[in-house]
Amino acid sequence: MSSTLVQLVLTGLLQGLLYSLIGLGLYLVFSVMRVVNFAHGYLVLIGMYGVLVLDPQNLLDYAVALVIVAVLAAGVGYAVERFLIEPGLDKGGHSQLVITLSLGIVFQYTFQVLFPDPFQTIANPWPWDAVTSGGVTISVPRIAAGVISLVLGLAVSWLVYRTRAGKIMRACSESLSGALHVGVHVPRTYRTTFVLGAALAAVAGGLLLPIQPVSPLLGLELTVKAFIVVVIGGSGALWGTVVAGVLLGLAEAVGSLYAPGSLATSLVYALFFLVILLRPQGIVSSVRTA
Amino acid sequence: MGPALEVAGLTVRRGRSEVVREVDLVVGEGECVCLVGSNGAGKTSLIDGLLGVLPTRAERLEFHGEDIAGTPPWERVRRGLVVVPQERELFPGLSVLDNLELGGVALSRGKARAGTLDDVLALFPRLAERRAQPAGTLSGGERSMLAVGRGLMAQPRMLVLDEPSLGLAPMVVTTIMAAIAEVNAAGTTVLLVEQNVHQAFALADRAYVLEHGAVVGSGPTAELAGSDLMQHGFLGSAAHGTVVDT
């Protein structure tokens, strides 16, 4: 393999891990609450703009900034779930679609008013700029974002599959009626899930900022990417989302090799059309018997 | 000490229609009462109303003397009113053991007892054999056992079973009914909803007959068994609307 290709694959892999982390929040909310959160990408923007405002000058400041945006997004997530999504959940219909879509638009215009300058970023908070080996150069913020995303992904997986709280979340996901019959406090579980998803999204945003400048329109793009990751990953298991995220990152990176700029992006989406047509249930489908 | 469950004038709505109307129902502590009625009589809706997953209106809805009207289902389960639903509502992708553990989720950590799981596995040895298997791969009988077992994990003061024998082979029905009898004998109040009158009447002290969402008869099972209502009322349609004076 040429060093260009190695570089692209590594870059794509690291970017993909970040997409996985963004997708995980959406996946959790969708599978536990059956809510399609069209505002998810804007929760990522809360993380990006939050870190932008805090403007960390060193690694410690950056770590603190990530924690702050996680807490901030968790608070926003709680309010959104409690006061906008929860009231419509047992009413049937599709109120949450309208609510999360509208919420995304509200977020977008709010960010546009607060941050009129597009494509803002921060200085590299890491003490090193890049790692170079054999003609392959990868920036340290990118490596860090990928590695931290992977660690957080593993932590979420541990939470979902190994803890009591995770078992309750899976119970709600498997059968809402079953959860009610065993006495799960369903609204509390929903709030926890949504808060967790929002916090993960914000941390992902904070990790993304040193790699990619932020602008208000990025929210929609990230929402779409998170959707692709969740749909391609399938509803069966969390690791499907992680694999799909990595695939998206790789497809974008390698696609850029064969097609220029925005054409590459459209090729990626065309490719996912194909995947969905061939395997509509996603990578990992749910195991269900009649 | 008062009754375990005391219901007066209970109306349950499903969507816009009142599927259960003005039902009075009393279950004494430690008693085994059964609720019979033909398909569509409103038995499951009545149970859903008791658990609080369907909207209700009632003059009185008391569990062990405490008003539970308007409380959410998790609050009722925590107080010991546990329903084993007709559709089982298991967690198909989770193991048998996880399903059982989730049964005790409403209990505060202090109240949860390690022995409960052993008791349930002793009651249904089949579940012990299948403990690591996903619930979705179980047979119909095993699913029913798991549903009952999961209900018992909540350490119910009153166990409400909605057609636990529905669609099961006679051998399995016997196993389930024996388990219910054992649970009742150990002091747990039981409300058994059944279409299978013979099995239910063998187990229960008293019965209520539900028809078109209303109680049309009630009394000791020994008396009801020979009545016109049981002979013709809901088994056939000849004596439609007959009310037995008990």
Side-chain angles (χ1 to χ4, degrees):
Chain A
M1 267 202 290
S2 73
S3 59
T4 320
L5 192 58
V6 173
Q7 171 139 1
L8 280 174
V9 167
L10 282 176
T11 308
L13 179 74
L14 293 165
Q15 183 83 12
L17 288 168
L18 199 49
Y19 289 152
S20 304
L21 185 60
I22 296 172
L24 271 184
L26 190 70
Y27 170 82
L28 288 177
V29 168
F30 177 67
S31 68
V32 173
M33 303 171 62
R34 292 160 201 84
V35 165
V36 177
N37 180 16
F38 284 106
H40 191 70
Y42 296 94
L43 295 170
V44 180
L45 286 203
I46 290 182
M48 295 184 87
Y49 279 116
V51 173
L52 183 75
V53 168
L54 293 166
D55 194 21
Q57 298 301 318
N58 55 49
L59 193 55
L60 182 65
D61 282 1
Y62 184 53
V64 171
L66 288 178
V67 173
I68 291 174
V69 295
V71 173
L72 178 70
V76 171
Y78 181 86
V80 167
E81 201 287 331
R82 183 80 178 76
F83 301 113
L84 293 178
I85 295 177
E86 211 173 287
L89 274 184
D90 54 353
K91 301 281 192 299
H94 301 284
S95 65
Q96 0 101 15
L97 288 185
V98 179
I99 287 168
T100 61
L101 259 175
S102 316
L103 188 69
I105 295 167
V106 169
F107 272 129
Q108 178 172 323
Y109 284 106
T110 308
F111 287 133
Q112 266 171 6
V113 170
L114 292 176
F115 307 97
D117 299 337
F119 305 116
Q120 300 188 73
T121 186
I122 53 166
N124 176 12
W126 298 90
W128 313 277
D129 280 334
V131 174
T132 306
S133 167
V136 176
T137 304
I138 311 277
S139 83
V140 168
R142 195 176 283 287
I143 294 172
V147 171
I148 295 171
S149 294
L150 182 63
V151 170
L152 285 175
L154 291 172
V156 170
S157 148
W158 173 81
L159 176 85
V160 169
Y161 292 104
R162 291 280 177 271
T163 67
R164 179 185 146 98
K167 210 171 272 180
I168 293 172
M169 285 162 76
R170 281 191 293 149
C172 288
S173 159
E174 294 256 327
S175 165
L176 175 58
S177 176
L180 285 170
H181 277 91
V182 299
V184 168
H185 192 307
V186 173
R188 190 187 292 154
T189 309
Y190 283 0
R191 284 168 216 158
T192 312
T193 307
F194 204 90
V195 161
L196 178 64
L200 291 172
V203 171
L207 293 171
L208 184 60
L209 187 63
I211 307 169
Q212 186 174 357
V214 59
S215 70
L217 289 169
L218 191 60
L220 180 63
E221 189 188 323
L222 291 172
T223 298
V224 171
K225 282 182 180 167
F227 267 92
I228 290 178
V229 167
V230 171
V231 173
I232 298 278
S235 60
L238 195 146
W239 64 266
T241 303
V242 176
V243 171
V246 170
L247 282 180
L248 177 62
L250 286 173
E252 266 188 357
V254 178
S256 71
L257 185 65
Y258 298 103
S262 50
L263 187 59
T265 317
S266 38
L267 276 180
V268 166
Y269 293 117
L271 183 73
F272 281 103
F273 252 140
L274 201 66
V275 174
I276 284 304
L277 285 174
L278 292 174
R279 197 171 163 80
Q281 70 274 40
I283 296 171
V284 197
S285 63
S286 326
V287 185
R288 287 285 142 86
T289 47
Chain B
M1 206 180 285
L5 181 74
E6 194 169 5
V7 176
L10 177 73
T11 296
V12 182
R13 281 189 298 120
R14 199 181 275 280
R16 283 189 175 173
S17 51
E18 293 184 343
V19 283
V20 172
R21 283 179 311 276
E22 301 289 325
V23 162
D24 298 340
L25 185 80
V26 177
V27 182
E29 200 170 343
E31 218 182 354
C32 178
V33 171
C34 86
L35 179 69
V36 293
S38 58
N39 235 336
K43 303 187 298 292
T44 298
S45 300
L46 174 56
I47 299 312
D48 284 350
L50 289 181
L51 181 64
V53 293
L54 281 183
T56 56
R57 194 179 65 235
E59 286 158 34
R60 178 180 289 176
L61 184 53
E62 285 180 2
F63 186 62
H64 287 276
E66 289 173 59
D67 183 19
I68 55 166
T71 56
W74 47 90
E75 181 57 34
R76 297 185 193 187
V77 175
R78 196 188 58 78
R79 290 181 192 213
L81 175 57
V82 176
V83 172
V84 177
Q86 187 183 320
E87 300 295 332
R88 318 298 190 232
E89 309 291 2
L90 301 171
F91 308 115
L94 270 59
S95 72
V96 166
L97 209 56
D98 281 347
N99 269 272
L100 288 174
E101 277 172 17
L102 279 162
V105 88
L107 297 171
S108 53
R109 268 156 226 257
K111 237 187 105 190
R113 212 164 47 83
T116 312
L117 180 62
D118 298 333
D119 293 348
V120 169
L121 294 179
L123 194 61
F124 298 115
R126 274 296 269 283
L127 295 182
E129 292 166 29
R130 303 261 187 261
R131 62 202 304 159
Q133 222 169 291
T137 64
L138 297 182
S139 72
E142 289 162 348
R143 277 182 215 196
S144 183
M145 291 177 202
L146 182 54
V148 176
R150 190 181 66 176
L152 290 172
M153 289 297 290
Q155 299 175 22
R157 296 177 80 180
M158 175 168 166
L159 192 63
V160 182
L161 301 120
D162 194 354
E163 310 226 13
S165 71
L166 190 73
L168 300 183
M171 281 263 295
V172 188
V173 174
T174 310
T175 311
I176 301 273
M177 290 297 174
I180 295 169
E182 198 173 317
V183 168
N184 183 234
T188 307
T189 310
V190 170
L191 177 60
L192 178 62
V193 180
E194 266 298 336
Q195 280 199 68
N196 188 338
V197 181
H198 295 291
Q199 296 275 1
F201 275 29
L203 218 65
D205 316 310
R206 287 190 307 121
Y208 287 85
V209 183
L210 199 67
E211 206 171 285
H212 299 296
V215 171
V216 294
S218 66
T221 47
E223 285 175 32
L224 268 181
S227 75
D228 276 0
L229 186 72
M230 297 314 296
Q231 297 301 317
H232 307 290
F234 82 93
L235 291 176
S237 57
H240 220 64
T242 311
V243 177
V244 233
D245 198 14
T246 51

